[in-house]
Amino acid sequence: MTKTDDNCIFCKIIKGEIPSNKIYDDEDFMVMLDISPASKGHAVLLPKYHAENLFELPDEYKEKALKVAGKCAAAIKKTLNCDGINILQNNGEAAGQTVFHFHIHIIPRMSGDNLGITWVQKTAEDNEKLAEEIKSNM
Ligand code: AMP
Ligand code: ZN
């Protein structure tokens, strides 16, 4: 692990100081089953690099993360024969993040499971101007 935080629960899990049920492990990532799952087979992907969130994570990890998430999601789908999978990633308390070490949720879905990962759609306000503003901040 290239960067670690002694007070971080996910860093402790990566170091093996706290047990976990791993489904994937390589030099850069591990994926474990979530201890309080939203559904059966809910897994969490962690880089072996302590970055608080997406904004702090080096690009090299971002590139590989989706590849590993896809591989694990396919294995979970095959195992559970679920109808769908959500790939979710929370950044910041306001977005529901509770553990401040970047992670990606892999959440199996069954038709009609009513997990509640939905939102009420709003009417867009001046998306043309907003798109230009966002582009100017790239
Ligand atoms: P988030 O709310 O996006 O920060 O997600 C943190 C996730 O980590 C939650 O789904 C927790 O249930 C999960 N979690 C926390 N501690 C552990 C642990 N020791 N082993 C496995 N999953 C954990
Ligand atoms: Zn950490």
Side-chain angles (χ1 to χ4, degrees):
M1 188 148 104
T2 44
K3 190 171 172 222
T4 187
D5 178 337
D6 290 345
N7 298 314
C8 169
I9 183 167
F10 283 180
C11 285
K12 287 179 186 169
I13 290 171
I14 290 162
K15 283 186 269 181
E17 293 169 10
I18 293 176
S20 64
N21 294 113
K22 279 185 214 176
I23 62 167
Y24 179 90
D25 195 25
D26 72 19
E27 62 199 320
D28 297 321
F29 292 96
M30 65 162 274
V31 183
M32 64 181 173
L33 294 178
D34 198 293
I35 202 167
S36 307
S39 64
K40 182 178 178 181
H42 178 175
V44 187
L45 174 151
L46 324 173
K48 294 183 177 178
Y49 178 101
H50 181 84
E52 193 167 304
N53 52 39
L54 182 66
F55 312 112
E56 307 294 328
L57 190 69
D59 279 347
E60 65 205 80
Y61 286 93
K62 292 177 198 162
E63 284 162 14
K64 195 174 165 194
L66 198 57
K67 203 169 161 183
V68 175
K71 186 183 172 83
C72 292
I76 290 169
K77 191 166 180 346
K78 196 171 168 187
T79 305
L80 298 175
N81 196 25
C82 52
D83 300 317
I85 298 241
N86 285 114
I87 301 290
L88 274 182
Q89 201 274 308
N90 301 329
N91 296 285
E93 219 173 319
Q97 187 175 10
T98 59
V99 176
F100 294 90
H101 177 127
F102 173 93
H103 52 279
I104 295 177
H105 294 271
I106 303 166
I107 305 177
R109 301 298 303 272
M110 292 296 185
S111 299
D113 63 13
N114 291 320
L115 276 195
I117 307 173
T118 56
W119 52 87
V120 177
Q121 291 183 304
K122 316 276 190 313
T123 305
E125 284 173 32
D126 208 350
N127 263 355
E128 195 176 334
K129 181 168 169 269
L130 184 57
E132 290 308 318
E133 276 176 26
I134 295 169
K135 281 194 276 180
S136 75
N137 283 313
M138 295 274 177

